[in-house]
């Protein structure tokens, strides 16, 4: 896990970015109900976690640009948290409470959310109050110390103080921090990538006609849990045949047919940080000539994109390099007649930031050392496309996670094969999942 000093340093860096007479307010995520009395497993707001290390709900953080008086002391940060509750902890697990947050997360000024009215946040003296409010709060209002109540209390406090709130500059400041990963973060990200590669490798070995998309998914996600990943970083994509042409397909129910391509886009989340890796394979273990042509074109585009993932380049440079390769290649194959038509079959960007979120925040400026981005071109030709039927239902995406360095790009997921020859060879290797019927 990241140490308290990491989160403390992040708060200090954010404080320096706030500007004078400014208060930043970041809420924890709400609890989200699945149905009736069953909630989804709790997932913390990434910005709140980044700044606190706290994984519990019903909390809010205040960061002040300058020290301010609060309950007889001068403070530059304040956090309200939920109380211990032995009856609820029997059902939902132990809480840190005020003293636990002080001890384990090393906050000096911690107040129970139930004490807001008695110890309101000292925001009156600040010119600007920047607030990141939570979204999709479904709990009933009125419960003392609840997230909904604290949101109401803050709005009431701002109104009483005659303050307006804004969030844009706060989100930009957080994005500028989060887009550069520290060495501690890189350890967790590489672990998430390595777990993902193990799972994908075994699924590639086990793939065969007659399996279902969800069985391939299950093999990958088995390794997530087996190796200590808390959950998938996003909905696992395991799409075959026509489903390989659906960018965010997550139903994963189809039976794998011999002539299908299987596109697997998955990422383990490890201690908050997620991987994002894609490999596409022929279900029967051998690429057809048409599949080879599309696959090699995507691979050529990906390698061109990775080559542009160097410091000083524009964020869009890998995307442009990949799109140029694909446009020329599709014309050469006769699938399109003009390069500008390529967007029909390559209809997404090549890169996004990666970190605490699969689509991590960033400023999309020049590439800098410490940034982690994906490079993931693809070609998707669904049934009914305006081209020869021999290309229909071929969907290929190849995705790797790339660290920008002072020198050449470091491909964090490079250990998983991606050439046609290497993938066909890997598919012939035995796996323990061959024994499962």
């Amino acid at each position: 896990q990241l140490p308290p000093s990491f989160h403390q340093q992040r708060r200090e860096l954010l404080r320096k970015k706030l500007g004078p007479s400014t208060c930043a307010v970041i809420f924890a995520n709400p609890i989200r109900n699945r149905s009736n009395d069953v909630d989804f497993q709790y997932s913390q707001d990434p910005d709140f976690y980044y700044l606190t290390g706290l994984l519990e709900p019903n909390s809010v953080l205040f960061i002040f640009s300058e020290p301010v008086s609060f309950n007889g002391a001068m403070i530059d940060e304040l956090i309200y948290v939920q109380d211990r509750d032995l009856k609820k902890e029997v059902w939902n697990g132990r809480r840190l409470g005020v003293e636990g947050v002080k001890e384990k997360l090393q906050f000096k000024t911690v107040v129970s959310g139930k004490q807001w009215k008695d110890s309101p946040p000292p925001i009156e003296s600040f010119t600007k109050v920047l607030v990141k409010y939570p979204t999709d709060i479904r709990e009933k209002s009125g419960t003392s110390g609840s997230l909904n109540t604290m949101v109401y209390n803050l709005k009431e406090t701002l109104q009483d103080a005659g303050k307006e709130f804004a969030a844009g500059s706060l989100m930009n400041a957080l994005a500028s921090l989060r887009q550069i990963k520290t060495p501690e973060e890189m350890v967790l990200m590489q672990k998430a990538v390595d777990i993902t590669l193990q799972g994908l490798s075994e699924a590639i070995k086990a793939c065969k006609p007659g399996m279902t998309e969800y069985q391939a998914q299950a093999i990958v996600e088995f390794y997530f849990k087996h190796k200590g990943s808390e959950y998938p970083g996003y909905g696992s994509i395991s799409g075959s045949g026509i489903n390989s042409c659906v960018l965010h397909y997550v139903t994963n129910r189809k039976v794998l047919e011999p002539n299908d391509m299987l596109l697997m886009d998955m990422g383990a989340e490890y201690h908050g940080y997620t991987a994002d890796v894609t490999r596409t394979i022929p279900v029967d273990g051998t690429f057809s000539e048409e599949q080879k042509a599309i696959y090699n074109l995507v691979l050529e585009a990906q390698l061109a994109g990775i080559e542009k993932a160097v410091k000083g380049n524009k964020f869009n440079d890998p995307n442009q390099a990949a799109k140029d390769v694909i446009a020329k290649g599709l014309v050469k194959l006769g699938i399109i007649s003009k390069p500008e038509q390529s967007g029909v079959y390559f209809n997404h960007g090549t890169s996004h930031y990666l970190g605490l979120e699969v689509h991590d925040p960033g400023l999309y400026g020049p590439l800098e050392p410490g940034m982690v981005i994906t490079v993931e071109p693809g070609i998707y030709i669904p049934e009914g496309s305006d081209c020869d039927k021999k290309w229909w239902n071929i969907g290929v995406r190849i995705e790797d996670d790339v660290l920008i360095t002072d020198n050449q790009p470091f491909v964090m997921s490079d250990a998983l094969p991606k050439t046609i020859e290497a993938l066909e060879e890997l598919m012939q290797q035995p796996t323990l999942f061959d024994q499962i019927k």
Side-chain angles (χ1 to χ4, degrees):
Q1 291 279 15
L2 293 169
S5 58
F6 169 86
H7 305 287
Q8 200 169 29
Q9 181 196 50
R10 300 294 100 187
R11 296 196 297 276
E12 183 59 36
L13 289 172
L14 179 60
R15 184 177 294 110
K16 291 177 180 178
K17 289 179 176 288
L18 291 180
S21 192
T22 302
C23 167
V25 188
I26 301 96
F27 283 87
N29 257 349
I31 297 168
R32 290 189 168 89
N33 181 256
R34 186 175 187 272
S35 66
N36 195 10
D37 58 350
V38 177
D39 294 328
F40 286 105
Q41 185 170 355
Y42 185 70
S43 180
Q44 186 58 277
D45 176 84
D47 287 322
F48 187 85
Y49 172 74
Y50 186 73
L51 296 169
T52 68
L54 181 61
L55 295 171
E56 297 181 8
N58 300 316
S59 307
V60 57
L61 171 69
F62 290 79
I63 298 177
F64 309 113
S65 58
E66 300 92 23
V68 63
S69 177
F70 179 75
N71 289 351
M74 299 300 291
I75 66 170
D76 58 12
E77 60 186 24
L78 163 67
I79 188 169
Y80 292 90
V81 302
Q82 62 183 6
D83 282 330
R84 298 287 309 279
D85 186 324
L86 297 181
K87 289 183 178 179
K88 291 185 178 179
E89 288 177 37
V90 168
W91 292 93
N92 299 317
R94 184 179 174 87
R95 299 177 178 180
L96 288 176
V98 170
E99 294 307 316
V101 171
K102 287 180 179 179
E103 178 186 351
K104 293 188 179 298
L105 301 180
Q106 297 180 12
F107 275 90
K108 293 179 181 178
T109 309
V110 186
V111 179
S112 163
K114 293 181 178 180
Q115 300 301 314
W116 182 298
K117 290 289 187 179
D118 297 326
S119 299
I123 62 176
E124 294 84 356
S125 61
F126 293 94
T127 303
K128 290 195 296 185
V129 181
L130 309 178
V131 187
K132 181 185 178 184
Y133 281 113
T135 58
D136 194 27
I137 302 177
R138 302 180 187 181
E139 65 182 355
K140 296 178 181 178
S141 60
T143 305
S144 177
S146 71
L147 190 71
N148 205 7
T149 300
M150 288 193 288
V151 167
Y152 175 83
N153 288 343
L154 177 65
K155 290 180 177 178
E156 187 178 55
T157 301
L158 288 171
Q159 186 175 16
D160 291 345
K163 305 288 184 183
E164 295 183 359
F165 75 90
S169 58
L170 173 59
M171 301 314 295
N172 282 343
L174 284 164
S176 70
L177 290 177
R178 286 179 56 186
Q179 71 178 358
I180 306 294
K181 303 302 186 286
T182 68
E184 301 102 308
E185 290 178 288
M186 287 308 305
V187 170
L188 301 182
M189 291 195 69
Q190 188 62 62
K191 177 72 171 179
V193 169
D194 291 344
I195 292 171
T196 302
L197 300 191
Q198 286 183 287
L200 284 170
S201 179
E202 291 304 312
I204 290 169
K205 294 176 190 176
C207 180
K208 57 182 177 291
M211 284 178 63
T212 58
E213 294 167 335
Y214 60 81
Q215 286 173 325
Q217 173 190 355
I219 292 171
V220 182
E221 293 185 4
F222 164 82
Y223 273 88
F224 290 179
K225 287 294 186 184
H226 182 58
K227 295 295 181 178
S229 161
E230 290 85 355
Y231 357 67
Y234 53 95
S236 293
I237 299 167
S238 182
S240 63
I242 194 169
N243 297 329
S244 67
C245 301
V246 181
L247 301 184
H248 285 172
Y249 170 79
V250 294
T251 307
N252 303 343
R253 306 303 295 178
K254 182 181 178 296
V255 175
L256 306 186
E257 303 293 340
N259 296 323
D260 285 348
M261 297 287 279
L262 173 63
L263 188 157
M264 294 182 288
D265 181 341
M266 305 185 192
E269 182 178 307
Y270 185 76
H271 295 357
Y273 289 83
T274 184
D276 185 7
V277 181
T278 307
R279 291 294 185 267
T280 309
I281 58 174
V283 167
D284 61 9
T286 304
F287 287 83
S288 70
E289 291 305 311
E290 289 76 21
Q291 291 168 351
K292 281 183 181 180
I294 299 300
Y295 188 93
N296 278 330
L297 181 53
V298 174
L299 180 57
E300 181 186 354
Q302 199 219 20
L303 295 175
I306 291 173
E307 189 176 341
K308 293 292 185 180
V310 294
K311 71 172 183 177
N313 276 358
K314 297 176 183 177
F315 188 89
N316 192 54
D317 283 349
N319 179 55
Q320 192 59 56
K323 284 186 177 295
D324 287 345
V325 169
I326 286 177
K328 292 175 184 176
L330 289 176
V331 170
K332 187 175 180 180
L333 292 173
I335 295 173
I336 58 176
S337 58
K338 295 180 290 186
E340 53 267 31
Q341 297 170 335
S342 64
V344 173
Y345 301 114
F346 179 18
N347 51 2
H348 61 80
T350 302
S351 298
H352 57 77
Y353 295 102
L354 187 66
L356 284 168
E357 298 174 85
V358 66
H359 294 152
D360 225 35
L363 300 180
Y364 294 91
L367 296 174
E368 300 177 44
M371 291 179 175
V372 178
I373 66 171
T374 63
V375 180
E376 50 172 313
I379 296 174
Y380 317 92
I381 311 175
E383 183 177 337
S385 295
D386 185 18
C387 62
D388 193 310
K389 291 183 180 181
K390 68 181 182 178
W391 305 111
W392 287 4
N393 293 339
I394 297 178
V396 175
R397 182 162 62 248
I398 307 171
E399 178 180 20
D400 284 299
D401 303 336
V402 180
L403 171 66
I404 310 302
T405 74
D406 284 315
N407 300 299
Q408 296 302 305
F410 176 71
V411 183
M412 301 169 64
S413 48
D414 205 36
L416 187 62
K418 59 185 177 183
T419 66
I420 284 176
E421 297 76 18
L423 286 172
E424 288 183 343
E425 181 179 348
L426 184 61
M427 292 189 74
Q428 301 307 312
Q429 295 182 19
T431 170
L432 64 89
F433 292 99
D434 289 334
Q435 302 171 31
I436 300 176
K437 303 299 183 184

